[in-house]
Amino acid sequence: MSEIPRVLAVQNDTNGGPGRFGEWLEAAGVAVDVATAFDGSALPSRLKHDGLIVLGGGYLPDDDDRAPWLPATRALVEQALARSVPFFGICLGGQMLASVGGGKVQGDAGAPEHGSTSITMRAEAADDVVFGGLPAAVPAIENHIDAITALPPDAVWLAETERCPYQAFRLGDRAWGVQFHPEVGPERIQRWDVEYTRRRGLDPDELYAAAVTDDPLSRAAWAAVASRFATLVKEGRP
């Protein structure tokens, strides 16, 4: 292992890279190695990195027939939990953490969320080492129809929305899962399928404009979260 702390980021689709979350980690002194699992790139059987991130994608956590790399990804998440390696799961990654930890994830569950969405912090977030001290509500880009329907029994519920209650949670003291996308900014909305978005009854231009308005608060909050996660990664090195 190099002298610089390194995080492994598992990418589950073409457009699902670590984005600005990865940039913030690198600015905080943590290198990010991206494993493009979606294109057939092999995942390690043993987690040797100082931290693990599992990014989003259009799959359920056990959608192994459509995404044959998911069993190897789940195995890495299990190793991170067993060894208290810092973990951050985004969208699919957060759902995978819930599933591996004994919670439940359901496809096409509840009301979908698309575009910049206000994430409400719960009281439990106040003393969390990653989410503590954030504003009472922080906007983030959402783009999902699948959702966590039950958290693991010992999870700490950190943030919520009315449509999708389980927006952020902690499992143990070094693993976090989120339903939203702190790694993307307004520009991601411009790459969405316009016809699909309109069929959902949404105007892509309006979604983009709202995200631009919300971005200063969003960027500041999620950059702080990434920086705190980076601190845990650096502190966990032997």
Side-chain angles (χ1 to χ4, degrees), residues 12 28 31 34 37 65 85 96 105 112 119 129 133 143 161-162 170 178 186 192 196 201 217 227 231:
N12 295 293
V34 180
D65 290 341
V85 174
M96 185 173 290
V105 178
I119 312 298
V129 296
N143 190 27
T161 64
E162 183 177 350
R170 186 183 72 246
V178 301
W192 289 357
Y196 173 85
L217 178 56
S227 178
T231 297

Side-chain angles (χ1 to χ4, degrees), residues 7-9 14 50 53 61 63 72 76 84 87 125 139 143 153 158 229 233:
V7 164
L8 177 65
T14 304
D50 304 298
I53 297 172
D63 208 351
L76 292 173
S84 293
F87 173 83
N143 190 27
L158 301 174
F229 183 73
V233 171

